[in-house]
Amino acid sequence: MKDIKAEIVSVGTELLLGQIVNTNATWISECLAEQGISVYYHTVVGDNKNRLTTIFSDADKRSDIVFITGGLGPTEDDLTREAFQKLSGLEIIEDEATIIKMEQISAKNNRTMTPNNRKQSHTFKGAMVLKNSVGIAPGIIVDYNNTLWIFMPGVPPREMKAIMMEEVIPYLTRKLKLDAVIHSRMLRFIGIGGESQLEHELQSLISNQTNPTIAPLASEGEVALRLTAKANSLREADKLIDGLENKITAIVGQYLYGYDQVNIGQKVFDLLKEQQLTIASAESLTGGAFAASIVDHQGASEVFNGAAVVYQSFSKAKALNIDEKLLETHGTVSKECAEAMSSQVKLTYQSTIGISFTGVAGPGQFENQEEGTVFISICDQDNSYNTQKFQFHGDRKTVRNRAVKKAYEMVYYQLKRE
Amino acid sequence: MKDIKAEIVSVGTELLLGQIVNTNATWISECLAEQGISVYYHTVVGDNKNRLTTIFSDADKRSDIVFITGGLGPTEDDLTREAFQKLSGLEIIEDEATIIKMEQISAKNNRTMTPNNRKQSHTFKGAMVLKNSVGIAPGIIVDYNNTLWIFMPGVPPREMKAIMMEEVIPYLTRKLKLDAVIHSRMLRFIGIGGESQLEHELQSLISNQTNPTIAPLASEGEVALRLTAKANSLREADKLIDGLENKITAIVGQYLYGYDQVNIGQKVFDLLKEQQLTIASAESLTGGAFAASIVDHQGASEVFNGAAVVYQSFSKAKALNIDEKLLETHGTVSKECAEAMSSQVKLTYQSTIGISFTGVAGPGQFENQEEGTVFISICDQDNSYNTQKFQFHGDRKTVRNRAVKKAYEMVYYQLKRE
């Protein structure tokens, strides 16, 4: 199969002013990726005829298919057709079926059609008109200069989506006999250090790979690899990805915890459920963030008993019955305090596992500990402790997020061992 | 002032595959609009050196300032610098300050720096290096061929935002002596119903306004109006906005709680601090989300004593000493339980105000209560209660977010009265 080069042009000054996000381009791209069509560029350009024409002229030279959204509405600002006419010289005509549809709607609502309204029916002579099942302005497909030009309304996005799903994709499938797919699988790793560490381990694999490709992605505290294969069928793509995955897991398999959308929180939640365990958290610097992330999961009550957010020294003593002398001797940011918290919360909330967080979110030091210092302690079914000290970097929010993520990592390895 | 033409180039194949939305371009555009800098194009291009170089060459011809995000990371995919080198011929060098910073972090974490890591320090000879206060890879400004090239990391977005706010905008203000401004003020309202309600009240104002303009924005449970004025100075713009704000507050002033970035959580936090009050929360369906949102604020320990996340019926009894008979008689999703929770958490965590949440996050009913049913109770300094029942709509996460937002609204009006 020839590699089809597509690009997306989004028209609208409101995009350039930052008033709305260009989710249309994202949606179309995702849709095309599933069809095996490669998108090479997104361009956003304002409602300006000359600039639009220039962008169309660039697209004409480099792409096989150009998707254009926006600028097809009834106002004077809507100049997409006029700009394409300037490039192509194609005559603009009214689409009769659209005019009839508009007249019927106007009659129904006892309104008169303005000359502006008629503009929404405009298409190019010889073009194919695409039905808009949820709105007025139809889509348009023009085959011009060996490039396929596909025009769709930009707002509301549901009109573009309906035209894409009901008209454009079926048309392209017929026209291009699409039988290739691009398929991705995400491998998720935890505990491996960082993106560059993982890449270092896999360097030769990554640089020699072309199909499937390997793209490393880092998010706070964990790493993922996206394997993307291009093949003639989903099955074949899967097979290609399987082969590569085996090579990768031979090197770093011990860090792999899940696939695709399964994040580490979900994984821990599933393991707790499988092993019929319950957890409760004692949280100081995280302020309930661990608890709040667990109850995101439907059915949380099966594994989560509750949390004590003991943000003050006296609340640690009062709500969790932690010995005040221990707090005085060791301070609240200490291994001793973390372990008292994890065992006491386990007791108070009658869970099989207790986990605790105490540390310095910052900014600045606290009890002579650097900002970013965090103790996380697990008190397990047998009342034995796994307590670790970390040094995280970043602002308050980052430190807390890293702590929660690290806690999931610790619980994950603990449950995996059992 | 000469009209400055800017454009934004976002680098990353994941954008072209539709895996992430290009919110960076939107954010930068909004930021530049406020400075009176016009953005003419957004382009998204993949991690491909030739295509990147072509896009840079187009930008070179048509723009005064080019903002580039992404492709500055440590991996082989990151080719932004190499592509710009191909256009400009500028030498790539290591930035010593970044290398030192990276070595310190590696030493602290007992990790070795890989050769890939060093790549993040790369800049151009003669370029200005922009401090990244929240991450590793710095920003870069190069003045080349009468165009200003500004390179910033693309992920995580907070690094780009920090570099823009702390480095780029101050630099541009000095360099371009920006003297025409587009200035916005956000007025924030709570308790008013919805966007269309607010719009209805202000209809004639909104439709007759040109400078400043009024843009209504709704987010979960609250409404904001963005007033945007164009003027020759910030002072003049502020004056225009003041005039319009007075007209608006004459109509709906009683719902106005704050401006710009001050959200209702921040407002409540400030009021608690001013009035030297402390709060503690007892949370069932919200699972600690109220607590976690309070500790987002620096200095949270001054106003926040802690929280009991009592997700199970028995943990309500055990951790908060709530009478089990009360739970049996009235159920856990009841006014009685909510009030027992707010008074008991106040007692246990020794705060001046206690607040509680109990309800049904869904999906499905619980204790014969519809999903979305939530009781929120405040037990105040005088031990009197303000307890309300709500019916929220949406999925688990939406119901919990609405509950937290509503709680802030209740505390806000309570504190405003005092």
Side-chain angles (χ1 to χ4, degrees):
Chain A
M1 190 192 75
K2 179 194 160 224
D3 186 30
I4 298 164
K5 293 190 177 67
E7 70 175 281
I8 301 168
V9 179
S10 311
V11 185
T13 303
E14 66 281 17
L15 290 159
L16 296 175
L17 286 169
Q19 287 164 348
I20 55 170
V21 179
N22 192 7
T23 51
N24 276 354
T26 308
W27 190 89
I28 295 172
S29 289
E30 204 183 350
C31 190
L32 296 178
E34 278 169 20
Q35 303 296 327
I37 297 175
S38 306
V39 175
Y40 283 85
Y41 305 95
H42 293 173
T43 309
V44 177
V45 57
D47 302 297
N48 174 289
K49 193 168 156 187
N50 286 335
R51 284 195 285 277
L52 261 166
T53 309
T54 309
I55 291 298
F56 288 161
S57 162
D58 289 345
D60 189 37
K61 286 171 205 136
R62 65 194 181 191
S63 294
D64 302 310
I65 313 181
V66 186
F67 293 83
I68 303 110
T69 60
L72 302 178
T75 80
E76 306 226 333
D77 274 353
D78 293 298
L79 295 163
T80 296
R81 294 184 198 82
E82 288 71 11
F84 185 68
Q85 185 182 41
K86 203 173 157 189
L87 173 75
S88 67
L90 290 172
E91 189 185 338
I92 294 178
I93 57 168
E94 284 188 348
D95 175 58
E96 211 173 319
T98 308
I99 290 285
I100 292 170
K101 187 174 169 184
M102 285 163 68
E103 277 167 350
Q104 286 169 343
I105 293 173
S106 293
K108 222 178 190 171
N109 298 323
N110 289 317
R111 283 202 205 136
T112 348
M113 241 166 80
T114 66
N116 274 348
N117 284 143
R118 297 185 80 90
K119 213 180 137 181
Q120 292 190 79
S121 78
H122 286 186
T123 177
F124 301 101
K125 202 171 178 176
M128 185 177 157
V129 174
L130 307 174
K131 207 185 70 188
N132 178 345
S133 66
V134 295
I136 306 276
I140 305 166
I141 299 187
V142 189
D143 197 338
Y144 167 76
N145 203 17
N146 283 322
T147 297
L148 214 51
W149 301 80
I150 302 178
F151 298 87
M152 293 175 288
V155 283
R158 65 193 167 84
E159 295 191 17
M160 177 277 289
K161 289 177 187 174
I163 294 172
M164 274 295 282
M165 298 311 289
E166 295 163 16
E167 301 278 319
V168 176
I169 296 295
Y171 171 84
L172 290 176
T173 310
R174 287 194 307 275
K175 168 108 181 162
L176 309 171
K177 295 185 190 59
L178 297 172
D179 48 6
V181 289
I182 297 180
H183 186 58
S184 286
R185 186 183 303 165
M186 191 86 95
L187 310 189
R188 297 187 177 274
F189 300 89
I190 200 149
I192 200 176
E195 185 180 8
S196 55
Q197 177 73 23
L198 184 70
E199 209 184 344
H200 188 70
E201 307 267 348
L202 299 173
Q203 196 145 41
S204 73
L205 261 184
I206 292 180
S207 41
N208 296 321
Q209 270 310 129
T210 50
N211 187 27
T213 55
I214 307 179
L217 302 159
S219 66
E220 317 235 300
E222 59 173 305
V223 191
L225 291 179
R226 176 181 287 123
L227 315 187
T228 305
K230 204 163 186 170
N232 288 322
S233 69
L234 189 61
R235 215 178 124 182
E236 202 186 303
D238 258 329
K239 230 171 123 183
L240 285 170
I241 293 175
D242 286 343
L244 179 58
E245 181 182 332
N246 289 338
K247 288 188 204 165
I248 292 170
T249 50
I251 307 170
V252 290
Q254 72 270 34
Y255 303 110
L256 180 75
Y257 76 82
Y259 296 94
D260 298 324
Q261 298 311 311
V262 175
N263 61 32
I264 188 69
Q266 179 71 54
K267 188 76 198 176
V268 165
F269 182 80
D270 293 343
L271 284 172
L272 287 167
K273 220 164 140 178
E274 259 172 56
Q275 301 181 21
Q276 296 186 297
L277 299 172
T278 58
I279 197 165
S281 59
E283 308 192 36
S284 181
L285 89 155
T286 46
F290 181 82
S293 78
I294 286 204
V295 304
D296 270 353
H297 302 280
Q298 197 179 315
S301 57
E302 285 176 60
V303 306
F304 178 61
N305 284 12
V309 182
V310 284
Y311 208 67
Q312 306 280 3
S313 184
F314 68 79
S315 59
K316 290 177 181 70
K318 190 100 203 286
L320 284 179
N321 289 313
I322 293 177
D323 186 355
E324 291 189 44
K325 267 187 213 140
L326 180 149
L327 298 173
E328 273 165 37
T329 314
H330 299 283
T332 56
V333 182
S334 65
K335 181 173 180 280
E336 290 75 9
C337 180
E339 294 186 347
M341 286 167 71
S342 64
S343 60
Q344 284 301 115
V345 79
K346 184 186 147 166
L347 194 69
T348 311
Y349 285 83
Q350 303 177 336
S351 59
T352 39
I353 299 175
I355 187 162
S356 69
F357 303 78
T358 181
V360 188
Q365 292 191 335
F366 178 72
E367 291 182 1
N368 286 320
Q369 300 271 12
E370 288 300 317
E371 78 179 50
T373 304
V374 178
F375 288 88
I376 302 177
S377 169
I378 294 175
C379 178
D380 73 7
Q381 303 95 294
D382 315 316
N383 285 320
S384 58
Y385 294 104
N386 170 11
T387 306
Q388 293 182 37
K389 182 181 181 179
F390 301 97
Q391 183 64 48
F392 298 121
H393 301 280
D395 60 11
R396 286 173 74 76
K397 212 160 181 169
T398 307
V399 168
R400 290 164 49 209
N401 288 343
R402 292 298 302 271
V404 170
K405 189 65 82 66
K406 191 50 96 172
Y408 278 122
E409 183 184 326
M410 285 172 63
V411 178
Y412 170 70
Y413 280 110
Q414 181 115 4
L415 296 180
K416 230 182 108 185
R417 270 203 304 277
E418 275 151 19
Chain B
M1 191 189 75
K2 178 194 161 224
D3 186 28
I4 298 163
K5 294 191 176 67
E7 71 175 281
I8 301 169
V9 179
S10 311
V11 184
T13 302
E14 67 279 17
L15 290 159
L16 294 176
L17 286 169
Q19 288 162 348
I20 55 171
V21 179
N22 193 7
T23 52
N24 277 354
T26 309
W27 190 89
I28 295 172
S29 290
E30 201 182 353
C31 190
L32 295 178
E34 277 170 21
Q35 304 296 325
I37 296 174
S38 305
V39 175
Y40 283 83
Y41 305 95
H42 294 174
T43 308
V44 177
V45 58
D47 302 297
N48 174 290
K49 194 168 156 187
N50 286 336
R51 285 196 284 278
L52 261 166
T53 308
T54 309
I55 291 298
F56 288 162
S57 162
D58 288 347
D60 189 37
K61 286 169 204 136
R62 66 194 181 191
S63 294
D64 302 309
I65 314 181
V66 186
F67 294 83
I68 303 109
T69 60
L72 303 179
T75 81
E76 305 223 337
D77 274 354
D78 294 298
L79 295 164
T80 297
R81 293 184 198 83
E82 289 71 12
F84 185 67
Q85 185 182 40
K86 202 172 156 191
L87 174 75
S88 67
L90 290 173
E91 189 185 338
I92 293 178
I93 56 169
E94 284 188 347
D95 176 57
E96 211 173 317
T98 308
I99 289 286
I100 292 170
K101 186 174 168 184
M102 285 162 68
E103 278 167 350
Q104 285 169 343
I105 292 173
S106 295
K108 225 174 185 170
N109 296 326
N110 290 318
R111 283 203 203 138
T112 347
M113 239 165 83
T114 66
N116 276 343
N117 282 141
R118 297 187 79 90
K119 216 182 133 180
Q120 293 190 78
S121 78
H122 286 187
T123 177
F124 301 101
K125 201 169 178 177
M128 186 176 156
V129 174
L130 307 175
K131 209 184 69 188
N132 178 344
S133 64
V134 296
I136 306 276
I140 304 168
I141 298 187
V142 189
D143 197 337
Y144 167 77
N145 203 17
N146 282 324
T147 298
L148 216 50
W149 300 81
I150 302 178
F151 298 87
M152 292 175 288
V155 282
R158 64 192 168 82
E159 296 190 15
M160 176 278 288
K161 289 178 188 173
I163 294 172
M164 275 294 282
M165 299 311 288
E166 295 163 16
E167 301 278 319
V168 175
I169 296 296
Y171 172 84
L172 290 177
T173 310
R174 287 194 308 273
K175 169 108 181 162
L176 308 171
K177 294 187 191 60
L178 300 170
D179 52 4
V181 290
I182 298 180
H183 186 58
S184 286
R185 185 183 303 164
M186 191 85 96
L187 310 189
R188 297 187 176 275
F189 301 88
I190 201 151
I192 202 175
E195 184 180 9
S196 56
Q197 177 70 23
L198 186 70
E199 220 176 325
H200 186 72
E201 307 267 347
L202 300 171
Q203 196 145 43
S204 73
L205 260 184
I206 290 179
S207 43
N208 295 321
Q209 271 310 127
T210 51
N211 187 27
T213 56
I214 307 180
L217 303 158
S219 66
E220 315 238 296
E222 58 174 305
V223 191
L225 291 179
R226 178 186 285 125
L227 315 187
T228 306
K230 201 165 188 169
N232 287 322
S233 69
L234 189 63
R235 214 179 126 182
E236 203 185 302
D238 258 330
K239 230 171 124 182
L240 285 170
I241 293 175
D242 285 343
L244 179 58
E245 182 183 331
N246 288 338
K247 288 187 201 163
I248 292 170
T249 50
I251 307 169
V252 291
Q254 71 271 34
Y255 303 109
L256 181 75
Y257 76 81
Y259 296 93
D260 298 326
Q261 298 313 310
V262 176
N263 60 32
I264 188 71
Q266 178 73 53
K267 189 75 199 176
V268 165
F269 181 80
D270 292 344
L271 284 173
L272 288 168
K273 218 164 141 180
E274 260 173 54
Q275 300 180 22
Q276 296 185 299
L277 300 173
T278 59
I279 196 165
S281 60
E283 308 192 35
S284 181
L285 88 154
T286 46
F290 181 82
S293 78
I294 285 204
V295 304
D296 270 353
H297 302 281
Q298 198 179 314
S301 58
E302 285 176 61
V303 307
F304 178 61
N305 285 13
V309 182
V310 283
Y311 208 66
Q312 307 281 4
S313 184
F314 66 80
S315 59
K316 290 179 180 68
K318 190 101 203 286
L320 284 180
N321 291 312
I322 294 177
D323 186 355
E324 290 190 43
K325 265 187 217 140
L326 180 149
L327 297 173
E328 273 165 39
T329 315
H330 300 283
T332 56
V333 183
S334 64
K335 181 173 180 279
E336 290 75 11
C337 180
E339 294 186 346
M341 286 167 70
S342 64
S343 60
Q344 284 302 113
V345 80
K346 183 185 150 168
L347 195 68
T348 311
Y349 286 82
Q350 303 177 336
S351 59
T352 39
I353 299 175
I355 187 161
S356 69
F357 303 78
T358 182
V360 188
Q365 290 192 334
F366 179 73
E367 292 183 2
N368 286 320
Q369 300 271 12
E370 286 303 315
E371 79 178 51
T373 304
V374 178
F375 287 88
I376 301 176
S377 169
I378 295 174
C379 179
D380 73 8
Q381 302 95 294
D382 314 317
N383 286 320
S384 58
Y385 294 103
N386 170 9
T387 307
Q388 293 182 38
K389 183 181 181 179
F390 302 96
Q391 184 64 48
F392 298 121
H393 301 281
D395 61 12
R396 286 173 74 74
K397 213 160 180 169
T398 308
V399 168
R400 291 163 50 209
N401 288 344
R402 292 298 303 273
V404 170
K405 189 64 83 66
K406 191 49 95 172
Y408 279 123
E409 183 183 327
M410 284 173 63
V411 179
Y412 170 69
Y413 280 110
Q414 180 116 2
L415 296 179
K416 231 182 109 186
R417 270 204 307 274
E418 273 150 20

